[in-house]
Amino acid sequence: MKILLLGSGAREHALARALARDPQTTELVVAPGNPGTAAIATNLNIDPCVPDEVVALATQMRADLVVVGPEAPLVAGVADAVRDAGIPCFGPSAEAARLEGSKAFAKEIMTAAGVPTAEAAVCTTEAELCAALDRFGAPYVVKEDGLAAGKGVVVTSERAAARDHGLACLSREGGRVLVEHYLDGPEISLFCVCDGATVRPLAPAQDFKRLADGDAGPNTGGMGAYCPLPWAPDDLAAEVMAQVVDPTLAEMRRRGTPFTGLLYAGLALTSRGMRVVEFNARFGDPETQAVLALLATPLAPVLLAAARGELAELPPLAWRDGAAVVVVEAASGYPGTPVLGGSVELPADVSDAWTIQAGTRLADGQLVASGGRVLGVVGLGEDLEAARERAYAHLSQVRFPDGFHRTDIGVPH
Ligand code: GLY
């Protein structure tokens, strides 16, 4: 199978690693990719957000499948263009990707589908914003409506900080902001492979969103993750499917915009039951690094079956025993202004521990940091504790003087 994978972050390196290990993959091109994907696939430098460029490359390489990693190409209509060219594509249409592209749209779908989520106010003016902050109170949850590359959500007990973030969102073109009720309880991520009609949930994972140990500091794109969740009830995925995923996908079908691709349900398990925190229309990062580490079923046929609407014909997914932990190494200054350009040296991958590259590039043959989250270290073990120890032992061999990481990833909270 010839596969074109779009994107250049850790999520794409993790996807590329799983696809490259699949014997059914005969050719894997990553566009544009990163130094990690270059070691296991062919990187080609196109703009993944330009539909014509993607279609031209997919046609030229006679791709059997295009996999869209990040959200921006989806919202730009890349999956529609690929499908229109007659090439199977794993990724939702621009219309279906609005589940991630507009938080107000996601709320509208959830309300129509009866899916539990936090009460929210959509604000377009400063007066509406201030009234909503007063109405919901602290802790304040303020979310930019549109895509914001992981920087759109602020959760804070300080009203001034909440107001400042809301005003910054409103000042951008078409600015809309959501103010929501704060949701207590642990958060989980459930990734669902969807073909428009049939859904296959992957193993639930937990993401550590805050910057520092003990869940201190600001929100980030995610500082680590683990999978599966030893503390969760066995029927957690089934419950999420029944309460959240099935009704949401039914509502999307009813509107004539079925969802094909990866629906990421971010949920809070509150004292009053589960609530959707957010939907994303793509694999999450860093959770994907841990989830795919445990998936025993070859990935390529799963994504192709979803792209072709044939998921119902696929045998059940198989999983490795044990646990996976991923710890993110970030450049100092992240999530504000990260220090870029610092040299990075990685230990060799081994069967139960490896590195996944995120914000890296090669400069004169030397790997250097080029983004806030620089890499992830994945460890496998017979249980969560063993996987955690393995990940941190491997991370201790990474040489990145400008970096930092949390030390409590894999400690459930
Ligand atoms: N882990 C959060 C995200 O992928 O959006």
Side-chain angles (χ1 to χ4, degrees):
M1 193 188 309
K2 296 182 178 186
I3 302 171
L4 170 59
L5 168 63
L6 302 179
S8 61
R11 166 186 41 231
E12 287 73 35
H13 188 181
L15 284 164
R17 186 178 181 278
L19 292 170
R21 294 163 76 86
D22 184 339
Q24 290 159 86
T25 303
T26 53
E27 185 180 344
L28 178 60
V29 172
V30 189
N34 66 29
T37 62
I40 53 175
T42 304
N43 281 0
L44 286 177
N45 193 17
I46 63 158
D47 184 340
C49 288
V50 178
D52 287 351
E53 285 193 36
V54 174
V55 169
L57 175 56
T59 306
Q60 181 200 328
M61 66 176 276
R62 298 177 186 274
D64 300 297
L65 173 67
V66 175
V67 179
V68 186
E71 59 277 17
L74 296 168
V75 171
V78 164
D80 306 81
V82 171
R83 274 194 279 273
D84 286 350
I87 302 168
C89 184
F90 184 78
S93 65
E95 193 57 34
R98 289 180 70 211
L99 276 177
E100 173 165 3
S102 167
K103 294 192 189 304
F105 175 75
K107 287 283 180 195
E108 180 192 317
I109 294 290
M110 284 187 269
T111 303
V115 169
T117 185
E119 195 190 337
V122 181
C123 310
T124 54
T125 65
E126 181 175 351
E128 288 173 357
L129 169 67
C130 291
L133 292 174
D134 290 340
R135 183 175 143 220
F136 290 115
Y140 301 99
V141 181
V142 183
K143 299 182 173 180
E144 179 147 21
D145 179 49
L147 294 183
K151 300 208 165 94
V153 179
V154 162
V155 182
T156 175
S157 54
E158 291 171 26
R159 191 180 184 284
R163 179 175 165 276
D164 287 351
H165 178 63
L167 288 178
C169 299
L170 289 178
S171 71
R172 289 188 263 280
E173 198 182 326
R176 282 205 299 187
V177 70
L178 275 74
V179 178
E180 293 192 8
H181 254 308
Y182 175 75
L183 297 173
D184 64 355
E187 290 188 16
I188 65 139
S189 308
L190 186 72
F191 298 164
C192 298
V193 177
C194 310
D195 73 357
T198 302
V199 188
R200 291 292 171 90
L202 304 185
Q206 190 169 47
D207 179 17
F208 289 67
K209 288 205 168 70
R210 296 276 177 168
L211 184 70
D213 285 359
D215 283 339
N219 259 7
T220 69
M223 294 300 291
Y226 67 93
C227 170
L229 310 177
W231 48 268
D234 288 344
D235 63 354
L236 177 65
E239 270 301 304
V240 178
M241 291 293 294
Q243 289 193 44
V244 173
V245 177
D246 287 340
T248 299
L249 295 174
E251 177 64 17
M252 295 302 283
R253 277 197 300 278
R254 194 188 68 75
R255 292 180 180 222
T257 54
F259 189 100
T260 298
L262 198 290
L263 181 67
Y264 164 148
L267 300 136
L269 306 181
T270 78
S271 47
R272 300 189 316 156
M274 71 173 64
R275 301 280 186 277
V276 174
V277 176
E278 63 176 353
F279 284 130
N280 292 314
R282 37 87 192 162
F283 282 94
D285 184 31
E287 301 97 304
T288 299
Q289 300 175 53
V291 173
L292 292 185
L294 294 178
L295 181 66
T297 300
L299 184 62
V302 176
L303 303 188
L304 182 63
R308 284 185 172 155
E310 296 170 356
L311 263 187
E313 293 157 36
L314 209 69
L317 299 179
W319 295 90
R320 291 185 190 203
D321 290 335
V325 169
V326 53
V327 183
V328 169
E329 182 76 15
S332 53
Y334 175 79
T337 307
V339 176
L340 303 183
S343 72
V344 180
E345 285 175 35
L346 303 178
D349 293 347
V350 289
S351 61
D352 60 353
W354 56 87
T355 51
I356 296 285
Q357 296 184 38
T360 57
R361 68 181 173 85
L362 283 173
D364 298 328
Q366 167 69 51
L367 198 62
V368 299
S370 63
R373 289 188 295 170
V374 177
L375 59 100
V377 177
V378 181
L380 294 180
E382 63 185 14
D383 56 20
L384 183 55
E385 185 57 31
R388 176 171 186 269
E389 277 174 20
R390 195 68 199 87
Y392 278 105
H394 203 65
L395 178 58
S396 71
Q397 298 174 52
V398 170
R399 298 280 164 262
F400 177 40
D402 291 340
F404 72 96
H405 56 263
R406 280 182 64 159
T407 63
D408 62 350
I409 303 300
V411 178
H413 60 280

